[in-house]
Amino acid sequence: MKKVWITIGIVLLLLAGGLVFAGNYFYNYAFVPSEKDFLADDNDAQAAADNKPTDTALTWFKGNTRKNWYITSEDGLKLRGIYLPASKKSDKTAIIAHGYMGDAESMYQFADMYHRLGYNVLVPDARGHGKSQGDYIGFGWPERKDYVKWIHEVLSQNGSKENIILHGVSMGAATVMMTSGEKLPTNVKAIIEDCGYSSIQAELIYQYHQLFDLPTFPIIPVTNLVTRLRAGFFFTDGDVTKQLAKNKTPMLFIHGSADKFVPFTMLDKVYNATNVPKEKWVVDGAAHAQSFNKDPKRYEEKVKSFLSRYE
């Protein structure tokens, strides 16, 4: 009988060890900043690579008017943002959030759009990206508090009467939607989200099914625990819809109908989650993070029209 219990104990230890290994593997795969082989097709990184730089936009973005701004996150990370003033003195600032494994530099076309609309522009590097510190990707949950800090940094630098809008793409869209549920100053006039997911868990499970022919239980719960131990939060807490339920800021929702990275079905989930003045725009045939590239002129017109009601 003793041998049976020893055998059972060994089997359980092996199973536990296997689960810990699997949980850490998936955590590294999704949360640790590194080259991602699953970003080869329909994603932020590919979208950024496919963008064809326009000389005027890139020259302006790389020019000598830009400055590096820095803040320190609540957990002690030094975060960098690129700030570009409007061509004429302005009391409007757009804060732009990039996507998964992107960086501030990759968002120059969006920055240029807001510059043409007369805005100052601030484009932060999310934690773990670009020139910001951090050894994990937060998928928007810890970043929401970073963006509250960026909002207050704008007010500190540009004055207490500054009008602020938030604009995010993909993970950046999830970030600004999660930020919407925090206590924000009335200076934040509108939020624009482009192809954001409804929750971290929903997006991870979707990607897990796309990548692996395996059941989600018990890998997803174990990875959730690993995330808490290694990054300091449960990814199940990162529910965009719950944050949107607390949102008080007008919001424009954008999603491409051909999005296969953040499924198009998530658009209605996030749109229906908030009870504020809002608008939904479906870009027919646009893949993930490609709505701007699909029709830049129409995209700018939509943004301009929406913002004109709340500035």
Side-chain angles (χ1 to χ4, degrees):
M1 188 68 180
K2 184 177 179 180
K3 289 184 179 180
V4 172
W5 283 112
I6 291 173
T7 302
I8 292 172
I10 291 172
V11 170
L12 290 174
L13 283 173
L14 289 173
L15 287 172
L19 286 175
V20 169
F21 175 83
N24 275 282
Y25 177 83
F26 191 54
Y27 174 88
N28 290 335
Y29 203 76
F31 288 88
V32 175
S34 62
E35 186 174 342
K36 307 293 185 182
D37 54 8
F38 60 88
L39 294 181
D41 298 315
D42 188 20
N43 57 31
D44 298 325
Q46 187 64 39
D50 287 344
N51 289 344
K52 302 302 181 184
T54 59
D55 289 344
T56 54
L58 198 56
T59 298
W60 163 75
F61 190 80
K62 296 285 189 180
N64 57 15
T65 63
R66 77 186 222 170
K67 299 177 182 178
N68 287 330
W69 283 9
Y70 296 94
I71 60 170
T72 301
S73 69
E74 287 187 1
D75 51 347
L77 298 176
K78 186 178 181 180
L79 307 178
R80 190 280 297 255
I82 297 173
Y83 178 79
L84 301 107
S87 54
K88 296 180 181 179
K89 186 172 177 58
S90 174
D91 62 357
K92 302 185 297 183
T93 297
I95 305 178
I96 303 172
H98 66 76
Y100 184 81
M101 291 309 299
D103 58 19
E105 304 286 350
S106 69
M107 301 302 286
Y108 74 91
Q109 290 179 308
F110 292 91
D112 179 63
M113 177 185 74
Y114 280 104
H115 183 67
R116 290 195 305 272
L117 294 176
Y119 284 78
N120 308 305
V121 179
L122 175 63
V123 194
D125 281 326
R127 54 177 56 208
H129 295 75
K131 295 185 178 180
S132 287
Q133 293 180 339
D135 58 5
Y136 65 85
I137 301 166
F139 284 85
W141 185 240
E143 290 87 349
R144 80 196 191 283
K145 293 186 177 180
D146 300 337
Y147 270 75
V148 173
K149 282 210 161 196
W150 282 120
I151 289 166
H152 286 287
E153 182 66 15
V154 168
L155 297 178
S156 175
Q157 295 277 357
N158 291 1
S160 60
K161 295 183 178 179
E162 192 79 356
N163 293 323
I164 297 171
I165 69 100
L166 306 178
H167 188 132
V169 179
S170 190
M171 187 185 81
T175 299
V176 298
M177 286 191 286
M178 289 189 193
T179 303
S180 77
E182 300 301 304
K183 185 177 180 180
L184 302 180
T186 56
N187 304 74
V188 180
K189 301 300 182 183
I191 298 174
I192 296 169
E193 77 85 18
D194 182 342
C195 62
Y197 38 82
S198 57
S199 72
I200 300 175
Q201 179 171 248
E203 178 63 11
L204 288 179
I205 288 175
Y206 173 79
Q207 290 298 331
Y208 184 87
H209 284 308
Q210 298 294 106
L211 295 166
F212 307 106
D213 186 22
L214 294 169
T216 56
F217 184 85
I219 301 302
I220 293 298
V222 170
T223 306
N224 192 33
L225 180 58
V226 170
T227 304
R228 176 64 179 86
L229 294 173
R230 294 181 61 179
F233 69 99
F234 291 109
F235 64 69
T236 47
D237 290 336
D239 190 324
V240 173
T241 59
K242 288 183 178 179
Q243 288 294 99
L244 285 170
K246 299 183 288 182
N247 173 44
K248 298 177 182 179
T249 308
M251 191 172 294
L252 171 62
F253 297 81
I254 302 171
H255 216 113
S257 66
D259 195 335
K260 296 179 182 178
F261 197 76
V262 174
F264 178 67
T265 54
M266 288 191 181
L267 171 60
D268 282 341
K269 291 180 181 179
V270 294
Y271 180 81
N272 293 331
T274 191
N275 185 25
V276 295
K278 57 187 177 180
E279 184 177 336
K280 176 168 55 176
W281 179 39
V282 175
V283 182
D284 189 44
H288 184 63
Q290 289 291 301
S291 293
F292 179 88
N293 290 340
K294 187 77 172 177
D295 192 344
K297 184 177 180 181
R298 182 65 175 149
Y299 194 106
E300 183 173 330
E301 289 173 350
K302 277 285 186 181
V303 169
K304 182 179 180 180
S305 174
F306 182 78
L307 294 179
S308 68
R309 290 176 245 159
Y310 306 108
E311 294 175 339

Coordinates of all heavy atoms in Angstrom, one line a residue, residues 119-202:
Y119 N -3.4 69.2 -33.1 CA -3.1 68.7 -31.7 C -1.6 68.6 -31.4 O -0.8 68.4 -32.3 CB -3.6 67.3 -31.6 CG -5.1 67.2 -31.4 CD1 -6.0 67.3 -32.5 CD2 -5.7 66.9 -30.2 CE1 -7.4 67.2 -32.4 CE2 -7.1 66.8 -30.0 CZ -7.9 66.9 -31.1 OH -9.3 66.8 -30.9
N120 N -1.3 68.8 -30.2 CA 0.0 68.3 -29.6 C -0.2 66.8 -29.6 O -1.3 66.3 -29.4 CB 0.2 68.9 -28.2 CG 0.1 70.4 -28.1 OD1 0.8 71.1 -28.9 ND2 -0.7 70.8 -27.2
V121 N 0.9 66.1 -29.6 CA 0.9 64.6 -29.7 C 1.9 64.1 -28.6 O 3.0 64.5 -28.6 CB 1.2 64.1 -31.1 CG1 1.1 62.6 -31.1 CG2 0.2 64.6 -32.1
L122 N 1.4 63.1 -27.9 CA 2.2 62.3 -27.0 C 2.0 60.8 -27.3 O 0.9 60.3 -27.3 CB 1.9 62.6 -25.5 CG 2.6 61.7 -24.5 CD1 4.1 62.0 -24.5 CD2 2.0 62.0 -23.1
V123 N 3.2 60.2 -27.6 CA 3.1 58.7 -28.0 C 4.0 58.0 -27.0 O 5.2 58.0 -27.2 CB 3.5 58.5 -29.4 CG1 3.1 57.0 -29.8 CG2 2.9 59.5 -30.4
P124 N 3.5 57.4 -26.0 CA 4.3 56.6 -25.0 C 4.7 55.3 -25.6 O 4.1 54.6 -26.4 CB 3.4 56.4 -23.8 CG 2.3 57.4 -24.0 CD 2.1 57.5 -25.5
D125 N 5.9 54.8 -25.1 CA 6.3 53.4 -25.2 C 5.7 52.7 -24.0 O 5.9 53.0 -22.9 CB 7.8 53.2 -25.2 CG 8.5 53.6 -26.5 OD1 8.0 53.3 -27.5 OD2 9.7 54.1 -26.4
A126 N 4.9 51.7 -24.3 CA 4.3 50.9 -23.2 C 5.4 50.2 -22.4 O 6.5 49.9 -23.0 CB 3.3 49.9 -23.7
R127 N 5.1 49.9 -21.2 CA 6.1 49.1 -20.4 C 6.5 47.8 -21.2 O 5.6 47.1 -21.8 CB 5.5 48.7 -19.0 CG 4.2 48.0 -19.1 CD 3.7 47.6 -17.7 NE 3.5 48.7 -16.8 CZ 3.7 48.6 -15.5 NH1 3.9 47.5 -14.9 NH2 3.5 49.7 -14.7
G128 N 7.8 47.5 -21.1 CA 8.3 46.4 -21.8 C 8.4 46.6 -23.3 O 8.8 45.6 -24.1
H129 N 8.2 47.8 -23.8 CA 8.3 48.1 -25.3 C 9.2 49.3 -25.5 O 9.3 50.2 -24.6 CB 6.9 48.4 -25.9 CG 6.0 47.2 -25.9 ND1 5.4 46.8 -24.7 CD2 5.5 46.4 -26.9 CE1 4.6 45.7 -25.0 NE2 4.7 45.5 -26.3
G130 N 9.8 49.4 -26.7 CA 10.6 50.6 -27.0 C 11.6 50.9 -26.0 O 12.4 50.1 -25.5
K131 N 11.6 52.2 -25.5 CA 12.6 52.6 -24.5 C 12.1 52.7 -23.1 O 12.6 53.4 -22.3 CB 13.2 54.0 -25.0 CG 14.0 53.9 -26.3 CD 14.7 55.2 -26.7 CE 15.5 55.0 -27.9 NZ 16.2 56.3 -28.3
S132 N 10.9 52.1 -22.9 CA 10.4 52.0 -21.5 C 10.9 50.8 -20.8 O 11.1 49.7 -21.5 CB 8.8 52.0 -21.6 OG 8.4 53.3 -21.9
Q133 N 11.0 50.9 -19.5 CA 11.5 49.7 -18.8 C 10.3 48.7 -18.6 O 9.1 49.0 -18.8 CB 12.0 50.1 -17.4 CG 13.2 50.9 -17.4 CD 13.7 51.3 -16.0 OE1 12.9 51.4 -15.1 NE2 15.0 51.6 -15.9
G134 N 10.7 47.5 -18.2 CA 9.7 46.4 -18.0 C 10.0 45.1 -18.7 O 10.6 45.1 -19.8
D135 N 9.8 44.0 -18.0 CA 10.1 42.7 -18.5 C 8.9 41.9 -18.8 O 9.0 40.7 -19.0 CB 11.1 42.0 -17.5 CG 10.4 41.8 -16.2 OD1 9.3 42.1 -16.0 OD2 11.1 41.3 -15.3
Y136 N 7.7 42.5 -18.9 CA 6.5 41.8 -19.3 C 5.6 42.7 -20.1 O 5.7 43.9 -20.0 CB 5.8 41.2 -18.1 CG 5.3 42.2 -17.1 CD1 4.0 42.8 -17.3 CD2 6.0 42.6 -16.0 CE1 3.5 43.7 -16.5 CE2 5.5 43.5 -15.1 CZ 4.2 44.1 -15.4 OH 3.7 45.0 -14.5
I137 N 4.7 42.1 -20.8 CA 3.6 42.9 -21.5 C 2.4 42.8 -20.7 O 1.9 41.7 -20.4 CB 3.4 42.2 -22.9 CG1 4.7 42.3 -23.7 CG2 2.3 43.0 -23.7 CD1 4.7 41.4 -25.0
G138 N 1.8 43.9 -20.4 CA 0.6 43.9 -19.5 C -0.7 43.8 -20.2 O -1.8 43.7 -19.6
F139 N -0.7 43.8 -21.6 CA -2.0 43.7 -22.3 C -3.0 44.8 -22.0 O -4.2 44.6 -22.2 CB -2.6 42.3 -22.2 CG -1.9 41.2 -23.0 CD1 -0.8 40.6 -22.5 CD2 -2.4 40.9 -24.2 CE1 -0.2 39.6 -23.2 CE2 -1.8 39.9 -25.0 CZ -0.7 39.2 -24.5
G140 N -2.5 45.9 -21.4 CA -3.4 47.0 -21.1 C -3.8 47.2 -19.7 O -4.3 48.2 -19.3
W141 N -3.7 46.1 -18.9 CA -4.2 46.2 -17.5 C -3.3 47.0 -16.6 O -3.8 48.0 -16.1 CB -4.4 44.8 -17.0 CG -5.0 44.7 -15.6 CD1 -4.5 44.2 -14.5 CD2 -6.3 45.3 -15.2 NE1 -5.4 44.4 -13.4 CE2 -6.5 45.1 -13.8 CE3 -7.3 46.0 -15.9 CZ2 -7.6 45.5 -13.1 CZ3 -8.5 46.4 -15.2 CH2 -8.6 46.1 -13.9
P142 N -2.0 46.7 -16.4 CA -1.2 47.6 -15.6 C -0.9 48.9 -16.4 O -0.8 49.9 -15.7 CB 0.1 46.8 -15.4 CG 0.1 45.8 -16.5 CD -1.3 45.4 -16.8
E143 N -1.0 48.9 -17.7 CA -0.8 50.1 -18.5 C -1.8 51.1 -18.3 O -1.6 52.3 -18.5 CB -0.7 49.7 -20.0 CG 0.6 48.9 -20.4 CD 0.4 47.4 -20.2 OE1 -0.6 47.0 -19.6 OE2 1.3 46.7 -20.7
R144 N -3.0 50.7 -17.8 CA -4.1 51.7 -17.7 C -3.7 52.7 -16.6 O -4.0 53.9 -16.8 CB -5.4 51.0 -17.2 CG -5.5 50.6 -15.8 CD -6.6 49.6 -15.5 NE -6.8 49.4 -14.1 CZ -6.1 48.7 -13.3 NH1 -5.0 48.1 -13.7 NH2 -6.4 48.6 -12.0
K145 N -3.0 52.3 -15.6 CA -2.5 53.2 -14.6 C -1.4 54.1 -15.1 O -1.2 55.2 -14.7 CB -2.1 52.4 -13.3 CG -3.3 51.8 -12.6 CD -2.8 51.2 -11.3 CE -4.0 50.6 -10.5 NZ -3.6 50.0 -9.2
D146 N -0.6 53.5 -16.0 CA 0.5 54.3 -16.6 C -0.1 55.4 -17.4 O 0.4 56.6 -17.4 CB 1.3 53.4 -17.5 CG 2.0 52.3 -16.8 OD1 2.2 52.4 -15.6 OD2 2.4 51.3 -17.4
Y147 N -1.2 55.2 -18.1 CA -1.9 56.2 -18.9 C -2.5 57.3 -18.1 O -2.6 58.4 -18.5 CB -2.8 55.5 -20.0 CG -2.1 55.2 -21.2 CD1 -1.2 54.1 -21.3 CD2 -2.2 56.0 -22.3 CE1 -0.5 53.9 -22.4 CE2 -1.5 55.8 -23.5 CZ -0.6 54.7 -23.5 OH 0.1 54.5 -24.7
V148 N -3.0 56.9 -16.9 CA -3.5 57.9 -16.0 C -2.4 58.9 -15.7 O -2.6 60.1 -15.6 CB -4.2 57.3 -14.8 CG1 -4.5 58.4 -13.8 CG2 -5.4 56.5 -15.1
K149 N -1.2 58.3 -15.4 CA -0.1 59.1 -15.1 C 0.3 60.0 -16.3 O 0.7 61.2 -16.1 CB 1.1 58.2 -14.7 CG 1.0 57.7 -13.3 CD 2.4 57.5 -12.6 CE 2.3 57.5 -11.1 NZ 3.6 57.7 -10.5
W150 N 0.3 59.5 -17.5 CA 0.6 60.3 -18.7 C -0.4 61.4 -18.9 O 0.0 62.5 -19.2 CB 0.6 59.4 -20.0 CG 1.8 58.5 -20.1 CD1 1.9 57.2 -20.2 CD2 3.2 59.0 -20.3 NE1 3.2 56.8 -20.4 CE2 4.0 57.9 -20.5 CE3 3.8 60.3 -20.3 CZ2 5.4 58.0 -20.6 CZ3 5.1 60.4 -20.5 CH2 5.9 59.2 -20.6
I151 N -1.7 61.2 -18.6 CA -2.7 62.2 -18.6 C -2.3 63.4 -17.7 O -2.3 64.5 -18.1 CB -4.1 61.7 -18.3 CG1 -4.6 60.8 -19.4 CG2 -5.1 62.8 -18.0 CD1 -5.8 59.9 -19.0
H152 N -1.9 63.0 -16.5 CA -1.6 64.0 -15.5 C -0.2 64.7 -15.8 O 0.0 65.9 -15.5 CB -1.5 63.4 -14.1 CG -2.9 63.2 -13.5 ND1 -3.7 64.2 -13.1 CD2 -3.6 62.0 -13.4 CE1 -4.9 63.7 -12.7 NE2 -4.8 62.4 -12.8
E153 N 0.6 64.0 -16.5 CA 1.9 64.6 -17.0 C 1.6 65.7 -18.0 O 2.2 66.7 -18.0 CB 2.8 63.5 -17.5 CG 4.2 64.1 -18.0 CD 5.0 64.6 -16.9 OE1 4.7 64.3 -15.7 OE2 6.0 65.3 -17.2
V154 N 0.7 65.4 -18.9 CA 0.3 66.4 -19.9 C -0.3 67.6 -19.2 O 0.1 68.8 -19.6 CB -0.8 65.8 -20.9 CG1 -1.4 66.9 -21.7 CG2 -0.2 64.8 -21.8
L155 N -1.1 67.4 -18.2 CA -1.7 68.6 -17.5 C -0.6 69.4 -16.8 O -0.7 70.6 -16.7 CB -2.8 68.1 -16.5 CG -4.0 67.4 -17.2 CD1 -5.0 67.0 -16.1 CD2 -4.7 68.4 -18.2
S156 N 0.4 68.6 -16.2 CA 1.5 69.3 -15.5 C 2.3 70.1 -16.5 O 2.7 71.2 -16.2 CB 2.3 68.2 -14.8 OG 3.5 68.8 -14.2
Q157 N 2.6 69.6 -17.7 CA 3.4 70.2 -18.7 C 2.7 71.3 -19.4 O 3.3 72.4 -19.7 CB 4.0 69.2 -19.6 CG 4.9 68.1 -19.0 CD 6.3 68.6 -18.9 OE1 6.7 69.7 -19.3 NE2 7.2 67.8 -18.3
N158 N 1.5 71.1 -19.8 CA 0.8 72.0 -20.7 C -0.3 72.8 -20.1 O -0.9 73.7 -20.7 CB 0.1 71.2 -21.9 CG 1.1 70.6 -22.8 OD1 2.3 70.8 -22.6 ND2 0.7 69.9 -23.8
G159 N -0.6 72.6 -18.8 CA -1.5 73.4 -18.1 C -2.8 72.7 -17.8 O -3.2 71.7 -18.5
S160 N -3.5 73.1 -16.7 CA -4.7 72.5 -16.2 C -5.9 72.6 -17.1 O -6.9 71.9 -16.9 CB -5.0 73.0 -14.8 OG -5.3 74.4 -14.9
K161 N -5.8 73.4 -18.1 CA -7.0 73.6 -19.0 C -6.9 72.8 -20.3 O -7.7 72.9 -21.2 CB -7.2 75.1 -19.3 CG -7.6 75.9 -18.1 CD -7.9 77.3 -18.5 CE -8.3 78.1 -17.2 NZ -8.5 79.6 -17.6
E162 N -5.8 72.0 -20.4 CA -5.6 71.2 -21.6 C -6.7 70.2 -21.9 O -7.2 69.6 -21.0 CB -4.3 70.5 -21.5 CG -3.7 69.9 -22.8 CD -3.1 70.9 -23.7 OE1 -3.1 72.1 -23.4 OE2 -2.5 70.5 -24.8
N163 N -7.2 70.2 -23.2 CA -8.1 69.1 -23.6 C -7.4 67.9 -24.1 O -6.5 68.1 -25.0 CB -9.1 69.7 -24.7 CG -10.0 70.8 -24.1 OD1 -10.4 70.7 -23.0 ND2 -10.2 71.8 -24.9
I164 N -7.8 66.8 -23.6 CA -7.0 65.5 -24.0 C -7.9 64.5 -24.6 O -9.1 64.3 -24.2 CB -6.4 65.0 -22.7 CG1 -5.3 66.0 -22.1 CG2 -5.7 63.6 -23.0 CD1 -4.8 65.6 -20.7
I165 N -7.4 63.8 -25.6 CA -8.1 62.7 -26.2 C -7.1 61.5 -26.2 O -5.9 61.7 -26.2 CB -8.7 62.9 -27.6 CG1 -7.6 63.1 -28.6 CG2 -9.6 64.1 -27.6 CD1 -7.3 61.8 -29.4
L166 N -7.7 60.3 -26.0 CA -6.9 59.1 -26.1 C -7.3 58.3 -27.3 O -8.4 58.2 -27.7 CB -7.2 58.2 -24.8 CG -7.1 58.8 -23.5 CD1 -7.5 57.8 -22.4 CD2 -5.7 59.4 -23.2
H167 N -6.2 57.7 -28.0 CA -6.4 56.9 -29.2 C -5.5 55.7 -29.1 O -4.3 55.9 -28.9 CB -6.1 57.8 -30.4 CG -6.5 57.1 -31.7 ND1 -7.2 57.8 -32.7 CD2 -6.2 55.9 -32.2 CE1 -7.3 56.9 -33.7 NE2 -6.8 55.8 -33.4
G168 N -6.1 54.5 -29.2 CA -5.3 53.3 -29.1 C -5.6 52.4 -30.3 O -6.8 52.3 -30.7
V169 N -4.6 51.6 -30.7 CA -4.8 50.5 -31.7 C -4.4 49.2 -31.1 O -3.4 49.0 -30.5 CB -3.9 50.9 -32.9 CG1 -4.1 49.8 -34.0 CG2 -4.3 52.2 -33.5
S170 N -5.3 48.2 -31.3 CA -5.1 46.8 -30.8 C -4.9 46.8 -29.3 O -5.8 47.2 -28.6 CB -4.0 46.2 -31.6 OG -3.9 44.8 -31.4
M171 N -3.7 46.3 -28.9 CA -3.5 46.3 -27.4 C -3.6 47.7 -26.9 O -4.0 48.0 -25.7 CB -2.1 45.7 -27.1 CG -1.8 45.6 -25.6 SD -0.2 45.0 -25.2 CE 0.7 46.6 -25.3
G172 N -3.2 48.7 -27.7 CA -3.3 50.1 -27.3 C -4.8 50.5 -27.2 O -5.1 51.3 -26.3
A173 N -5.6 49.9 -28.0 CA -7.1 50.2 -27.9 C -7.6 49.6 -26.6 O -8.4 50.2 -25.9 CB -7.8 49.6 -29.1
A174 N -7.2 48.4 -26.3 CA -7.6 47.8 -25.0 C -7.1 48.6 -23.8 O -7.8 48.8 -22.8 CB -7.1 46.3 -24.9
T175 N -5.9 49.2 -24.0 CA -5.3 50.0 -22.9 C -6.2 51.2 -22.7 O -6.5 51.6 -21.5 CB -3.9 50.4 -23.3 OG1 -3.1 49.2 -23.5 CG2 -3.3 51.3 -22.2
V176 N -6.5 51.9 -23.7 CA -7.3 53.2 -23.5 C -8.7 52.8 -23.0 O -9.3 53.6 -22.3 CB -7.4 54.1 -24.8 CG1 -5.9 54.5 -25.1 CG2 -8.0 53.4 -26.0
M177 N -9.3 51.7 -23.4 CA -10.6 51.3 -22.9 C -10.5 51.0 -21.4 O -11.4 51.3 -20.7 CB -11.2 50.1 -23.7 CG -11.7 50.5 -25.1 SD -12.6 49.2 -25.9 CE -11.3 48.1 -26.4
M178 N -9.4 50.3 -21.0 CA -9.2 50.0 -19.6 C -9.0 51.3 -18.8 O -9.5 51.4 -17.7 CB -8.1 49.0 -19.4 CG -8.4 47.6 -19.9 SD -7.1 46.4 -19.4 CE -7.5 45.0 -20.5
T179 N -8.3 52.2 -19.4 CA -8.1 53.5 -18.8 C -9.4 54.2 -18.6 O -9.5 54.9 -17.6 CB -7.1 54.3 -19.6 OG1 -5.9 53.6 -19.9 CG2 -6.8 55.7 -19.0
S180 N -10.3 54.0 -19.5 CA -11.6 54.7 -19.4 C -12.4 54.4 -18.1 O -13.2 55.2 -17.6 CB -12.5 54.4 -20.6 OG -13.1 53.1 -20.4
G181 N -12.1 53.3 -17.5 CA -12.8 52.9 -16.3 C -12.2 53.5 -15.0 O -12.7 53.3 -13.9
E182 N -11.0 54.1 -15.1 CA -10.4 54.8 -14.0 C -10.9 56.2 -13.8 O -11.7 56.7 -14.6 CB -8.8 54.8 -14.2 CG -8.2 53.5 -14.4 CD -8.4 52.6 -13.3 OE1 -8.0 52.9 -12.1 OE2 -8.9 51.5 -13.5
K183 N -10.6 56.8 -12.6 CA -11.0 58.1 -12.3 C -10.2 59.1 -13.2 O -9.0 59.3 -12.9 CB -10.9 58.4 -10.9 CG -11.5 59.8 -10.5 CD -11.4 60.0 -9.0 CE -12.0 61.4 -8.6 NZ -11.9 61.6 -7.1
L184 N -10.8 59.7 -14.2 CA -10.1 60.6 -15.1 C -10.5 62.0 -14.9 O -11.7 62.3 -14.6 CB -10.3 60.2 -16.5 CG -10.0 58.7 -16.9 CD1 -10.3 58.5 -18.4 CD2 -8.5 58.4 -16.6
P185 N -9.6 62.9 -15.1 CA -10.0 64.3 -15.0 C -10.9 64.7 -16.2 O -10.9 64.0 -17.2 CB -8.6 65.1 -15.2 CG -7.7 64.1 -15.8 CD -8.1 62.8 -15.4
T186 N -11.7 65.7 -16.0 CA -12.7 66.1 -17.0 C -12.0 66.6 -18.3 O -12.6 66.8 -19.3 CB -13.6 67.2 -16.5 OG1 -12.8 68.3 -16.0 CG2 -14.5 66.6 -15.4
N187 N -10.7 66.8 -18.2 CA -9.9 67.3 -19.4 C -9.9 66.2 -20.5 O -9.7 66.5 -21.7 CB -8.4 67.5 -19.0 CG -8.3 68.5 -17.9 OD1 -8.6 68.2 -16.7 ND2 -7.8 69.7 -18.2
V188 N -10.1 64.9 -20.1 CA -10.2 63.9 -21.1 C -11.6 63.9 -21.8 O -12.6 63.6 -21.2 CB -10.0 62.5 -20.5 CG1 -10.0 61.4 -21.6 CG2 -8.6 62.5 -19.8
K189 N -11.6 64.4 -23.1 CA -12.8 64.7 -23.7 C -13.4 63.5 -24.6 O -14.6 63.5 -24.8 CB -12.6 65.9 -24.6 CG -12.2 67.2 -23.9 CD -13.2 67.6 -22.9 CE -12.8 68.9 -22.2 NZ -13.7 69.3 -21.1
A190 N -12.5 62.7 -25.1 CA -13.0 61.6 -25.9 C -12.0 60.5 -26.0 O -10.8 60.8 -25.8 CB -13.4 62.1 -27.3
I191 N -12.4 59.3 -26.3 CA -11.5 58.2 -26.5 C -11.8 57.5 -27.8 O -13.0 57.3 -28.2 CB -11.7 57.2 -25.3 CG1 -11.3 57.8 -24.0 CG2 -10.8 55.9 -25.6 CD1 -11.6 57.0 -22.8
I192 N -10.8 57.1 -28.5 CA -11.0 56.3 -29.8 C -10.2 55.0 -29.7 O -9.0 55.0 -29.4 CB -10.4 57.2 -31.0 CG1 -11.3 58.4 -31.1 CG2 -10.5 56.3 -32.3 CD1 -10.7 59.4 -32.1
E193 N -11.0 53.9 -29.9 CA -10.3 52.6 -29.8 C -10.5 52.0 -31.2 O -11.5 52.0 -31.8 CB -10.9 51.8 -28.7 CG -12.3 51.1 -29.0 CD -12.2 49.8 -29.8 OE1 -11.2 49.2 -29.8 OE2 -13.3 49.4 -30.3
D194 N -9.4 51.4 -31.6 CA -9.3 50.8 -33.0 C -8.9 49.3 -32.8 O -7.8 49.0 -32.4 CB -8.3 51.5 -33.8 CG -8.2 51.0 -35.2 OD1 -8.6 49.9 -35.5 OD2 -7.6 51.7 -36.1
C195 N -9.8 48.4 -33.0 CA -9.6 46.9 -32.9 C -9.1 46.4 -31.6 O -8.2 45.5 -31.6 CB -8.8 46.4 -34.1 SG -7.1 47.0 -34.2
G196 N -9.7 46.8 -30.5 CA -9.3 46.3 -29.2 C -10.1 45.1 -28.8 O -11.2 44.9 -29.3
Y197 N -9.5 44.3 -27.9 CA -10.2 43.1 -27.5 C -11.1 43.3 -26.3 O -11.0 44.3 -25.6 CB -9.2 41.9 -27.2 CG -7.9 42.4 -26.6 CD1 -7.8 42.6 -25.2 CD2 -6.8 42.6 -27.3 CE1 -6.7 43.0 -24.6 CE2 -5.6 43.0 -26.8 CZ -5.5 43.2 -25.4 OH -4.4 43.7 -24.8
S198 N -12.0 42.4 -26.0 CA -13.0 42.5 -24.9 C -12.4 42.2 -23.5 O -12.9 42.7 -22.5 CB -14.2 41.7 -25.2 OG -13.9 40.3 -25.4
S199 N -11.4 41.3 -23.5 CA -10.7 41.0 -22.2 C -9.4 40.4 -22.6 O -9.3 39.8 -23.7 CB -11.6 40.1 -21.3 OG -11.6 38.8 -21.8
I200 N -8.5 40.4 -21.7 CA -7.2 39.7 -21.9 C -7.4 38.2 -22.0 O -6.9 37.6 -22.9 CB -6.2 40.0 -20.7 CG1 -5.9 41.5 -20.6 CG2 -4.9 39.3 -21.0 CD1 -5.0 41.9 -19.4
Q201 N -8.2 37.7 -21.1 CA -8.5 36.3 -21.1 C -9.1 35.8 -22.5 O -8.7 34.8 -23.1 CB -9.4 35.8 -20.0 CG -9.7 34.3 -20.0 CD -10.4 33.9 -18.7 OE1 -9.8 33.1 -17.9 NE2 -11.6 34.3 -18.5
A202 N -10.1 36.6 -22.9 CA -10.8 36.2 -24.2 C -9.8 36.2 -25.4 O -9.8 35.3 -26.2 CB -11.9 37.1 -24.4

